[in-house]
Amino acid sequence: MSEKALGDYIITVKDVYKTFPGGIAAVKDFSTDIRRSEVLVIMGPSGSGKSTLLRCLNGLEERDSGSIVVDGIPLDQNKKNRLEIRKEVGMVFQSFNLFPHLTVADNVNLAQMRVRKKSKDEAMLMTRDMLTKVGILNKIDAYPAQLSGGQQQRVAIARALAMMPKVMLFDEPTSALDPEMINEVLDVMKNLAREGMTMVVVTHEMGFAREVSDWVIFMDEGQIVETGTAEHFFTSPQEERTKLFLSQIL
Amino acid sequence: MNTIERVVPAPRKHFFLLRSPARDIFQFVLLVAILVWLLLLGASRSGYKWEWYRVPRYILGVVEGRLTAGPLLQGLSLTLRISGISLVLAFVIGLVTALLRLSDSLVGRAVARAYLETIRNTPMLVQLFVIYFILGPILGIERFLSAVMALSLFEGAYASEVFRAGIISIHKGQWQASYSLGLSAVDTYRFVILPQAIRRILPPLTSQAVSLIKDSSLVSMVSLTDLTLQAGIVVSETFLPFEIWFTTAGLYLVVTVTLSTVVNRMEQRFRIVG
């Protein structure tokens, strides 16, 4: 457990269900509360509903029932609320999803200018700041395809951060990376965690979980199986499914 | 080392000749020569007398000491105007139809679908006649506008399929990334999806444009003096069917090949890096 002060609840998830067409339940009866400045790691086997849950948190995925409130704004059918929440919640994807037709600078500028209504000059200031933060300012004029996977993912983090989000969601941010590039991305994320960013991270990087996470949720078949600190999962996991999973990834 | 050198033969000199464009050009010239020879042979057997020298005045003429466009160039000018306007409209109609078909609106999807099926399952000439002879008098649309409407509605239906294919070919991660940044659906289309989709569909969109220019010759059926109708008139005045129709085909070819070349250049210029 880190020793930073934790704030009030910024995300409240209550009784969320999500079933995909075809009747496969992705998320079942999921409830959890996330505090400001907290780092939550979600683990679980593939197909356990982690990514679906994460996508429900910013409305990329439509849930069937249950409620989600982010920073006091209910995520509901109201389009305004949805856009408002997306402004406050940044997301980083497994496959980076940079815009290939835009330079690094324009990737980071776009939402600042269209959503935050900044001028190009204002946006550029923030863009340079954020690219410096992720250590990739020298690639500001490059196109995504000219970057390595690790570099692309760092640009994607900068792009999300430039919106000054209150929460950052990470969907397996290092799973698509070559091993030698994983650390450059994890380092950026660790710094972010230490600065007090609220983070929900779907990952299997136990080292990351141990170093910066406040707590860990282990999910299987759309449900919470076990929660606890990273240390708890290392030393004394209770459930059989958790033990089995950990024995496979550690 | 020695053995290897013996096994791999050194590239022969004519190897480069075989791969150079000279070979393609030679083949093309040969093909054209054969075709022309066959044509001349056929013409001379049927007793056709070539009078190419009479053709230029129908393209460019000198009236009262000034260079004036002959009937063929005048026709070409009308063809270009009709095609140009229809092209813009067809692409607008195509894009809107594609967006409607991909929208959440049930009515929007139904309207788009009905339009597509009607247009694609009836001949364009019939559509032109319906617009010109039926809608025209009722709505008070004149000839030129009827032709533009018929052409753009017809080609728009096909263009919409091209747009739709281009849009759905963009990876869903692009939508997710854009939405996760708080961009609206309109901004997502405008700044993220369409710029990528249009780059991808430039080649099929160009062939759609070429089709439109070719199909524009149908407007001669409602007595619009486009290139085709002008050519028909000139032929009936001069009895030079071979020369005039070849010239006409050549003029269409110049327009369409120019268009393809320009788009090709554009495509290379705007290609996504990587």
Side-chain angles (χ1 to χ4, degrees):
Chain A
M1 195 77 150
S2 72
E3 285 164 27
K4 65 195 172 198
L6 296 174
D8 54 332
Y9 292 122
I10 189 164
I11 300 180
T12 314
V13 182
K14 205 163 182 324
D15 306 331
V16 166
Y17 277 85
K18 166 73 191 175
T19 308
F20 281 119
I24 303 146
V27 177
K28 277 186 281 188
D29 192 21
F30 195 101
S31 300
T32 195
D33 298 310
I34 300 159
R35 290 173 190 275
R36 240 173 256 281
S37 291
E38 203 165 56
V39 178
L40 164 63
V41 164
I42 304 179
M43 289 188 313
S46 77
S48 60
K50 317 171 295 263
S51 294
T52 309
L53 175 74
L54 210 61
R55 281 165 215 275
C56 284
L57 292 184
N58 64 353
L60 280 188
E61 200 83 68
E62 205 82 51
R63 63 184 186 278
D64 302 331
S65 62
S67 72
I68 294 173
V69 179
V70 180
D71 201 25
I73 309 166
L75 180 59
D76 50 25
Q77 291 303 314
N78 187 332
K79 269 191 184 161
K80 244 182 168 172
N81 285 348
R82 182 166 302 231
L83 285 181
E84 203 54 44
I85 286 175
R86 284 178 183 161
K87 275 193 219 172
E88 308 304 335
V89 179
M91 187 162 195
V92 174
F93 301 87
Q94 183 177 354
S95 49
F96 329 132
N97 297 347
L98 292 181
F99 306 133
H101 59 301
L102 299 179
T103 61
V104 165
D106 287 336
N107 262 279
V108 186
N109 284 338
L110 179 61
Q112 297 183 66
M113 292 166 66
R114 297 304 304 176
V115 182
R116 295 276 188 226
K117 310 288 179 205
K118 288 190 199 173
S119 71
K120 176 127 189 178
D121 291 343
E122 283 176 291
M124 210 57 188
L125 280 177
M126 170 69 82
T127 298
R128 294 183 148 274
D129 266 7
M130 291 304 139
L131 290 176
T132 309
K133 191 179 181 121
V134 300
I136 205 164
L137 185 62
N138 57 332
K139 298 287 184 190
I140 189 162
D141 292 320
Y143 282 89
Q146 297 167 323
L147 305 181
S148 73
Q151 291 171 328
Q152 288 193 49
Q153 193 60 299
R154 284 187 283 151
V155 173
I157 294 174
R159 178 174 70 175
L161 289 178
M163 292 296 286
M164 292 268 114
K166 293 177 177 152
V167 182
M168 284 284 284
L169 309 177
F170 291 85
D171 187 6
E172 305 205 31
T174 57
S175 301
L177 293 177
D178 291 333
E180 74 271 21
M181 292 170 186
I182 290 177
N183 279 328
E184 65 185 61
V185 172
L186 287 182
D187 285 344
V188 168
M189 290 168 60
K190 285 174 194 168
N191 282 333
L192 213 56
R194 293 195 186 103
E195 285 169 15
M197 174 63 77
T198 312
M199 294 164 67
V200 183
V201 186
V202 170
T203 186
H204 294 154
E205 294 291 337
M206 287 306 288
F208 172 83
R210 198 168 201 175
E211 218 172 305
V212 295
S213 79
D214 296 292
W215 58 299
V216 176
I217 291 180
F218 176 73
M219 257 180 106
D220 195 13
E221 293 175 357
Q223 285 175 308
I224 297 178
V225 175
E226 193 168 348
T227 65
T229 62
E231 217 45 50
H232 161 84
F233 279 91
F234 267 108
T235 53
S236 54
Q238 298 299 307
E239 300 289 326
E240 279 310 310
R241 271 188 290 180
T242 319
K243 285 179 195 163
L244 182 68
F245 176 73
L246 288 172
S247 71
Q248 281 162 349
I249 66 159
L250 287 178
Chain B
M1 283 307 271
N2 265 333
T3 47
I4 292 172
E5 273 170 52
R6 265 185 221 122
V7 175
V8 181
R12 279 163 294 177
K13 271 182 189 157
H14 71 257
F15 181 70
F16 293 100
L17 191 67
L18 278 176
R19 305 195 77 196
S20 79
R23 183 165 166 257
D24 294 329
I25 293 168
F26 173 73
Q27 283 182 343
F28 181 73
V29 170
L30 189 69
L31 183 72
V32 171
I34 292 172
L35 286 177
V36 169
W37 177 71
L38 281 173
L39 196 75
L40 291 176
L41 195 70
S44 71
R45 276 198 188 148
S46 62
Y48 191 85
K49 193 161 153 277
W50 293 92
E51 294 181 51
W52 280 104
Y53 68 92
R54 288 175 60 197
V55 172
R57 78 185 77 158
Y58 295 102
I59 303 173
L60 269 178
V62 180
V63 178
E64 292 167 4
R66 276 193 312 172
L67 213 56
T68 355
L72 290 185
L73 263 200
Q74 285 172 11
L76 182 64
S77 146
L78 182 65
T79 291
L80 287 180
R81 259 181 296 150
I82 290 182
S83 305
I85 298 171
S86 305
L87 198 62
V88 174
L89 285 177
F91 285 172
V92 172
I93 293 171
L95 181 58
V96 170
T97 309
L99 294 178
L100 279 179
R101 280 198 70 188
L102 295 167
S103 75
D104 297 332
S105 155
L106 198 69
V107 177
R109 287 205 304 263
V111 168
R113 200 61 203 260
Y115 157 67
L116 270 185
E117 296 302 333
T118 316
I119 295 291
R120 287 193 305 181
N121 293 302
T122 54
M124 197 208 140
L125 193 54
V126 173
Q127 293 164 22
L128 177 63
F129 285 161
V130 167
I131 291 176
Y132 179 65
F133 289 113
I134 302 173
L135 292 185
I138 297 173
L139 302 174
I141 325 172
E142 41 88 41
R143 213 185 289 264
F144 183 82
L145 211 56
S146 306
V148 165
M149 267 180 71
L151 260 180
S152 39
L153 282 173
F154 181 77
E155 305 291 342
Y158 292 91
S160 87
E161 287 294 80
V162 175
F163 274 111
R164 194 172 76 101
I167 290 167
I168 57 182
S169 78
I170 303 300
H171 192 262
K172 69 176 197 306
Q174 294 289 309
W175 297 89
Q176 292 176 347
S178 184
Y179 284 149
S180 78
L181 288 164
L183 284 152
S184 65
V186 174
D187 278 355
T188 298
Y189 266 119
R190 185 169 153 207
F191 296 103
V192 178
I193 304 301
L194 288 179
Q196 296 183 58
I198 286 173
R199 281 176 173 87
R200 263 184 215 186
I201 61 175
L202 262 182
L205 223 45
T206 311
S207 44
Q208 206 57 55
V210 168
S211 290
L212 188 146
I213 292 169
K214 293 185 296 175
D215 293 344
S216 77
S217 65
L218 282 173
V219 304
S220 59
M221 299 302 290
V222 294
S223 305
L224 273 165
T225 45
D226 75 326
L227 179 53
T228 302
L229 187 55
Q230 289 284 21
I233 296 169
V234 172
V235 168
S236 59
E237 281 172 2
T238 59
F239 303 108
L240 296 172
F242 280 39
E243 292 88 338
I244 296 299
W245 286 121
F246 278 129
T247 308
T248 304
L251 286 173
Y252 276 113
L253 204 62
V254 167
V255 173
T256 51
V257 169
T258 308
L259 180 72
S260 305
T261 315
V262 169
V263 178
N264 225 324
R265 291 267 162 79
M266 267 168 58
E267 208 188 324
Q268 268 154 26
R269 193 153 156 225
F270 293 116
R271 179 166 293 165
I272 291 174
V273 177

